[in-house]
Amino acid sequence: MAKKSVASLQTGAKRLTKAIKMVKSPKTGAYMFVESVMAPEFVNDFLNKK
């Protein structure tokens, strides 16, 4: 199960994207959110990796 929330951020000349995904903790089994700010072309790689 994955939650995908992407917001575009613009700072100066760079376009950045904030991606949030929900991952299940292997230790406790609870879900937690992982956030990252990156260039738009790396969003799919971030969301697809485990």
Side-chain angles (χ1 to χ4, degrees):
M1 178 185 287
K3 178 178 180 173
K4 181 177 177 182
S5 175
V6 178
S8 293
L9 306 172
Q10 288 186 332
T11 57
K14 294 184 181 180
R15 274 194 69 228
L16 298 175
T17 303
K18 181 178 183 180
I20 304 168
K21 70 177 178 178
M22 188 168 69
V23 294
K24 189 172 186 177
S25 171
K27 203 179 232 185
T28 63
Y31 286 97
M32 58 187 172
F33 293 99
V34 177
E35 298 181 17
S36 182
V37 176
M38 67 199 79
E41 55 269 12
F42 300 120
V43 172
N44 285 334
D45 295 333
F46 172 74
L47 294 173
N48 289 333
K49 76 177 179 185
K50 292 244 173 185

